[in-house]
Amino acid sequence: MPLVRIDTLGADAGRLHALSRAVHEALVETIGIPDDDRFHILTGHDGVRSTLRYDDYLGVHRDDDIVYVAITMRSGRTPERKQAMYRRIAELAHEYAGTEPRNVFVTVTENEPIDWSLGHGIAQYVEERTPDPPRE
């Protein structure tokens, strides 16, 4: 159940969708999340009311095409799986959105099952789940 936040400059709805698709497919392929487990917050900054800052840290030249991807997920993935995830996100962001891999900045924050409530005010990963009532 990753929660993904994607922030970029000057992105229209099409680019945000392409970046979301890239990240989601990479998560499915590399860390095995279910295909229907998509919870993304997509923000295109206009450079005036909201913007992003960056530098050329560690010798990686970035420009206004930068994409920040913040992933919050339960702990337990190996370093190898995380590295594969980073590579695949960069590859697919380039393929789907035209974003140069050098401009894909990914962070992962890990937590425990008790740190999630997916609705109804309960921690579904640690409490017994009650099904939703049928919709009329």
Side-chain angles (χ1 to χ4, degrees), residues 114 122 124-125 128:
I114 190 60
I122 59 174
Q124 285 85 351
Y125 292 133
E128 190 167 319

Side-chain angles (χ1 to χ4, degrees), residues 25-104:
E25 286 184 19
L27 293 173
V28 170
E29 289 177 23
T30 62
I31 65 169
I33 69 163
D35 192 48
D36 65 347
D37 187 353
R38 182 190 320 240
F39 296 91
H40 293 187
I41 302 163
L42 310 173
T43 305
H45 299 269
D46 65 8
V48 177
R49 290 179 302 232
S50 63
T51 195
L52 302 175
R53 298 285 185 250
Y54 55 87
D55 284 315
D56 290 347
Y57 185 63
L58 294 178
V60 179
H61 174 69
R62 297 167 187 89
D63 57 36
D64 282 351
D65 198 33
I66 192 163
V67 175
Y68 289 107
V69 179
I71 302 168
T72 303
M73 64 184 181
R74 290 185 292 164
S75 61
R77 276 62 176 214
T78 65
E80 295 79 18
R81 288 184 83 183
K82 288 180 190 176
Q83 289 172 313
M85 178 187 69
Y86 302 144
R87 277 190 303 273
R88 193 64 177 141
I89 289 171
E91 291 168 356
L92 292 175
H94 186 244
E95 181 179 336
Y96 297 160
T99 302
E100 292 294 328
R102 65 183 166 79
N103 276 320
V104 179

